[in-house]
Amino acid sequence: MPTLILVRHGRSTANTAGLLAGWTPGVALDERGTEQAAALPGRLAGLPITEVVTSPLQRCQETVQPLLDARPGLAAHTDERIGECHYGDWSGRKLSELKDEPLMEVVQAHPSAAAFPGGESLRAMQTRAAEAVREWNARVERDHGADAVYLMCSHGDIIKSLVADALGLHLDLFQRISVEPCSVTAIRYTRLRPFLVRLGDTGDFASLAPREEPPGDDAPVGGGAGAP
């Protein structure tokens, strides 16, 4: 079965503003995110990518555009199932405010029970994304062969949930996974099991350096902004 390259979108204006974007329209890449997207074709130059599938949200579309420009014959598709979690009433709110919401404790410690008011549950988010991957695996293998490589550009919580699915981890453990903006995660699927072969690779270790304000114990909902 194919190898899936998962790319989180580059850093966005919502990331730097500390907002939980969700499906809020008009959230674009910031200056650094644009630079990250521009570097993506070079980072992936050695990979024979056969298809690109992307979330419909602007920040993902902008992230893959330089790759599509560099490879004019590469087929591109949009799939809403790998779009961001529907955070409902939380969308567009500051993460600093949301941390005091009682639901945030559930999101952190028991995410399989978390459902966002006016939105969807994290469980439903994982299910739709995993179903999309399995359908695209079959389609890519049919059209390009069992050793094909394809790419999906999606969002932090989506990618974390897909990694958990690939590793056989309960969704309640997915907050232990971290994927920064424009990071590359690779999962090789086989008939019997998936193999996680890369996780959150940015090629940059700056985010591991100590910060003036430690990141704290909670996982950043939506994926965080990455290195300063």
Side-chain angles (χ1 to χ4, degrees):
M1 296 179 71
T3 295
L4 169 61
I5 307 300
L6 287 162
V7 176
R8 185 182 167 202
H9 62 78
R11 197 174 74 175
S12 73
T13 53
N15 293 145
T16 46
L19 300 176
L20 185 61
W23 284 70
T24 304
V27 176
L29 299 183
D30 68 5
E31 183 177 354
R32 180 171 179 182
T34 301
E35 292 172 354
Q36 291 171 330
L40 196 58
R43 291 171 61 198
L44 300 176
L47 291 177
I49 297 169
T50 57
E51 308 266 358
V52 169
V53 186
T54 181
S55 156
L57 295 173
Q58 180 178 341
R59 52 198 183 273
C60 287
Q61 300 277 338
E62 291 178 348
T63 298
V64 298
Q65 193 57 54
L67 178 64
L68 297 176
D69 291 342
R71 304 192 191 193
L74 189 56
H77 314 271
T78 297
D79 193 325
E80 290 199 358
R81 294 174 297 175
I82 62 166
E84 181 63 284
C85 183
H86 291 277
Y87 295 116
D89 297 345
W90 280 27
S91 299
R93 292 182 59 187
K94 284 190 170 294
L95 290 164
S96 59
E97 298 172 357
L98 291 171
K99 66 181 177 62
D100 296 324
E101 293 278 355
L103 178 61
M104 182 60 85
E105 187 176 13
V106 182
V107 170
Q108 293 293 327
H110 190 18
S112 65
F116 296 97
E120 71 178 333
S121 67
L122 287 169
R123 188 176 61 256
M125 176 203 73
Q126 183 187 43
T127 298
R128 63 173 164 85
E131 287 178 350
V133 166
R134 281 160 176 75
E135 288 182 20
W136 278 102
N137 281 349
R139 175 173 172 173
V140 169
E141 180 173 5
R142 181 197 68 205
D143 294 344
H144 303 283
D147 295 327
V149 178
Y150 75 107
L151 181 147
M152 281 186 169
C153 184
S154 188
H155 306 265
D157 282 348
I158 292 283
I159 294 172
K160 288 163 56 177
S161 75
L162 290 172
V163 170
D165 175 76
L167 292 176
L169 294 177
H170 196 283
L171 185 61
D172 285 345
L173 300 179
F174 101 125
Q175 297 290 28
R176 302 185 183 195
I177 299 165
S178 176
V179 289
E180 294 192 0
C182 224
S183 62
V184 173
T185 294
I187 302 171
R188 186 173 71 248
Y189 288 87
T190 73
R191 186 173 66 87
L192 297 180
R193 64 184 63 84
F195 293 89
L196 178 66
V197 292
R198 291 289 189 279
L199 176 61
D201 187 347
T202 63
D204 180 0
F205 297 106
S207 64
L208 302 180
R211 305 184 188 182
E212 292 184 7
E213 294 185 12
D217 296 329
D218 286 345
V221 180

